[in-house]
Amino acid sequence: MSKIDPTARVADGAVIGEGTEIGPFCIIGPNAVIGANCKLIGQVTVIGHTSIGDGCVISPFAVLGGAPQDLSYKGEPTTLDIGSGNTIREGATMNVGTVKGGGKTRVGNDGYFMNNSHIGHDCVVGNNAIFATSATLGGHCEIGDFVYIGGLSAVHQLTRIGSYVMVGGLSGVRDDIIPFGLANGQYAALEGLNLIGMKRRQFTKQRRATVQSFYQKLFHGPGTFAERLAAALPFAGEDPAIAEILDFIGKRKHRPICLPAIEK
């Protein structure tokens, strides 16, 4: 049985999963679907066409499913899909999508979204993401698995961040960051590889050395970046991580690739 505090307001049509607790003064809209064994601690707002997976813990003043902060939005029934096992802390916000952006904002599983973090409309966030305090995504961003975004950092709309990336605090991210990258600075520049994150993900010492050698050739070798990239393509077979980096670069869409500061 779900447990709903008498002060909460759960609209007709909302679906509340078995074992879920809806705490004091929560507001649940008529198109919300909340999975099993979730805990909405209190004063949580879930509105719009929003679905939340099992086992999520949501702290006070989080607002999930609010309208996009986009002037083109005219109240269309776009969606926000949040996976299972997420922790969403105080004041965090996640918006539904826009028609022009595909109509869906998606958040994966097992993320940790600290207080006042924000996921804008039409973003796609992978699994095991960590957003520190006030980390912010503009609309249409694509964030890979195991990404860490530092506190008070902001990611420009339409930016991609590959898997296993670490972004330092107080960083403005305007360019796509390659998988396994480490980026930092007022206007974030690539500072190397997230070697600690790779080690935590069970990359062997040899694999880390192989990928780091490739990184040095691609970003710090002689010639222009375009020349080094062309020369690096044959290295894709040396390690799956190298293949992932090259594939990510090859799929550039709207933003340039984040480079080391010396290249900017």
Side-chain angles (χ1 to χ4, degrees):
M1 296 283 293
S2 57
K3 181 179 178 181
I4 300 175
D5 189 272
T7 63
R9 296 293 181 263
V10 179
D12 292 341
V15 177
I16 309 298
E18 185 175 354
T20 286
E21 298 180 23
I22 308 295
F25 303 106
C26 290
I27 298 174
I28 312 299
N31 298 303
V33 178
I34 301 175
N37 301 311
C38 292
K39 184 173 184 179
L40 282 61
I41 294 172
Q43 296 173 302
V44 172
T45 300
V46 183
I47 51 180
H49 289 75
T50 297
S51 65
I52 300 172
D54 298 342
C56 292
V57 178
I58 307 172
S59 293
F61 307 112
V63 179
L64 307 177
Q69 297 176 84
D70 186 304
L71 296 176
S72 71
Y73 183 70
K74 305 301 180 185
E76 299 91 348
T78 52
T79 64
L80 167 66
D81 292 343
I82 300 171
S84 301
N86 290 294
T87 298
I88 301 173
R89 294 298 300 268
E90 297 82 356
T93 54
M94 301 181 184
N95 295 158
V96 298
T98 62
V99 171
K100 68 180 181 182
K104 179 179 291 188
T105 304
R106 289 176 287 171
V107 177
N109 303 320
D110 302 313
Y112 195 102
F113 302 94
M114 298 185 195
N115 60 299
N116 300 308
S117 56
H118 172 71
I119 295 176
H121 59 86
D122 304 296
C123 289
V124 178
V125 178
N127 300 318
N128 299 98
I130 298 177
F131 285 35
T133 295
S134 296
T136 297
L137 299 185
H140 311 278
C141 292
E142 299 177 21
I143 311 299
D145 296 338
F146 294 99
V147 167
Y148 176 90
I149 301 179
L152 300 169
S153 291
V155 181
H156 192 285
Q157 64 183 8
L158 299 166
T159 298
R160 299 179 303 142
I161 296 180
S163 297
Y164 303 98
V165 165
M166 181 170 185
V167 176
L170 294 170
S171 295
V173 180
R174 303 184 294 179
D175 303 329
D176 291 349
I177 303 175
I178 61 166
F180 310 98
L182 172 64
N184 195 29
Q186 180 180 1
Y187 297 112
L190 198 59
E191 293 189 345
L193 294 174
N194 181 15
L195 295 173
I196 293 175
M198 295 170 73
K199 187 175 182 180
R200 288 174 177 169
R201 303 276 77 80
Q202 309 303 315
F203 276 66
T204 64
K205 184 177 180 180
Q206 180 59 51
R207 285 195 68 193
R208 297 196 302 273
T210 297
V211 179
Q212 192 166 24
S213 175
F214 163 80
Y215 173 89
Q216 291 296 324
K217 293 174 184 175
L218 179 59
F219 289 101
H220 296 288
T224 66
F225 178 72
E227 291 168 343
R228 296 194 299 269
L229 177 60
L233 294 177
F235 292 100
E238 291 193 2
D239 190 276
I242 294 175
E244 185 175 344
I245 292 170
L246 290 171
D247 181 67
F248 180 91
I249 294 172
K251 292 179 177 177
R252 277 177 287 186
K253 296 179 180 179
H254 304 282
R255 312 296 301 169
I257 296 295
C258 185
L259 299 174
I262 195 171
E263 292 277 354
K264 290 184 178 286

